[in-house]
Amino acid sequence: MQRTACPPKCPFGTTPHVVEPKCPGVVERYIDLSQFYDRAGLQPLKADILAATAEYQGHYKRAYRCLGAAGELRRDMTELLDTPEVGQRLAKRAAGIIARELKRPAQGEGRLEQRFLSAVTHQGTVTLWGTVGAQADRVYELVDQYGLAHRMLAPILTAGLAAGHDAVACPDPMAPDRLAHLVFPGLSLAFVTSTQEDPWPHRAHRRLRLDAMADPEVCRLNRPRLRFTKRVAAALLEEGVAALSQAKAAHDRLEQLYNPYVDFDSAASAADRLADQILALRDE
């Protein structure tokens, strides 16, 4: 079978890319990609394919465990330092920003979109800072090593939506229930969390040191605990990234085993036919 000149990718569904229809035949339908395999050609590679599959799945499990543990340690540090007094300081600062930046009311209630701007990848923590620059001329840089940014961003988001401004809320990839970044495209305004590992790379409209709002006495009394937490969380994050890199390498080997035995031309033709069917539905 022939392989296209395009960069080959493994065509079968691997976690988390598999989507099961909820109402097959009524709303969704199955698309059988297995017809494009050269099953006879793949049989001699069965042992290698099973080994590569088990390897990359094992690396992913380790990655999730390491990243999960790092996230729990970071949450422990945040809960230690996020005292009621700190919450009041952050709320007061947020109120000032709301009065200054969100005082132009729009019609109705704003629309909320949720998007991940940051991710932990096989290359480390990656943030699409260029996306922020493309949507906002004014960027507030929140310097935050302790995970306090969410307490400031949450009331700003609530006030912005209530004033009728559309917002893009960006969760923390290590704690998806907490905000890390916030963008109001219509106001050309953004708030980004800047850390030592992943700092905002440009000049900020305003730079707020949230670390300085932590209670100095709490920090002093818990200095050994904070040092331990930051050191171990960083080590776990590094291990998680290494495991993701190993998982990617194993998955790449799996694709290399499959690619010579996949009819990519026929798969592309089937995709074109399916696209035509979908576009026809739009015109009905």
Side-chain angles (χ1 to χ4, degrees):
M1 292 186 177
Q2 296 296 315
R3 194 174 75 176
T4 64
C6 298
K9 290 295 180 182
C10 187
F12 62 90
T14 53
T15 304
H17 309 296
V18 179
V19 178
E20 283 290 335
K22 295 180 180 179
C23 297
V26 179
V27 179
E28 309 96 345
R29 65 184 240 192
Y30 283 96
I31 301 172
D32 181 15
L33 300 181
S34 66
Q35 60 185 302
F36 306 119
Y37 295 134
D38 177 1
R39 294 177 60 85
L42 286 169
Q43 288 307 307
L45 303 177
K46 180 178 179 179
D48 292 334
I49 289 173
L50 291 175
T53 300
E55 181 182 353
Y56 90 78
Q57 291 176 344
H59 289 313
Y60 271 126
K61 287 180 181 179
R62 175 171 173 74
Y64 296 148
R65 288 165 181 159
C66 289
L67 296 178
E72 286 301 316
L73 281 174
R74 289 186 176 188
R75 188 180 295 272
D76 179 74
M77 179 171 61
T78 300
E79 291 178 353
L80 172 67
L81 298 176
D82 191 6
T83 63
E85 293 76 18
V86 171
Q88 291 174 4
R89 295 187 196 115
L90 292 170
K92 182 178 180 180
R93 183 60 65 91
I97 293 173
I98 292 168
R100 182 169 58 251
E101 298 289 358
L102 304 177
K103 57 188 177 183
R104 292 176 293 167
Q107 294 293 328
E109 188 169 324
R111 183 169 57 91
L112 174 64
E113 293 186 7
Q114 191 172 70
R115 299 284 185 270
F116 278 99
L117 188 70
S118 303
V120 179
T121 76
H122 68 284
Q123 296 178 327
T125 301
V126 175
T127 301
L128 302 179
W129 295 125
T131 299
V132 177
Q135 298 186 72
D137 293 328
R138 290 172 296 125
V139 176
Y140 280 71
E141 179 186 4
L142 310 181
V143 181
D144 180 24
Q145 298 294 331
Y146 300 138
L148 301 174
H150 172 79
R151 289 292 296 272
M152 176 175 283
L153 293 177
I156 293 174
L157 172 59
T158 300
L161 293 174
H165 302 295
D166 294 343
V168 181
C170 305
D172 183 341
M174 298 290 287
D177 59 325
R178 301 177 66 84
L179 288 173
H181 316 288
L182 181 59
V183 183
F184 293 98
L187 298 174
S188 192
L189 174 68
F191 302 84
V192 299
T193 298
S194 180
T195 66
Q196 184 176 356
E197 300 81 16
D198 195 19
W200 170 247
H202 308 296
R203 182 181 179 85
H205 174 66
R206 296 205 176 192
R207 191 171 189 264
L208 307 180
R209 291 190 60 245
L210 303 192
D211 295 349
M213 297 187 186
D215 189 321
E217 185 65 10
V218 174
C219 291
R220 186 185 67 80
L221 293 175
N222 293 277
R223 187 171 291 119
R225 175 177 168 181
L226 292 172
R227 286 176 178 172
F228 169 83
T229 299
K230 292 173 71 173
R231 183 176 69 254
V232 176
L236 285 167
L237 177 60
E238 185 177 346
E239 282 295 309
V241 169
L244 288 175
S245 180
Q246 293 167 332
K248 181 182 184 304
H251 197 281
D252 288 347
R253 289 196 297 274
L254 188 62
E255 290 188 350
Q256 291 170 4
L257 291 169
Y258 268 100
N259 284 342
Y261 303 98
V262 178
D263 185 352
F264 285 97
D265 289 334
S266 295
S269 296
D272 290 339
R273 290 193 299 272
L274 182 61
D276 290 339
Q277 294 171 13
I278 294 172
L279 292 175
L281 292 174
R282 183 189 62 180
D283 298 332
E284 289 182 357

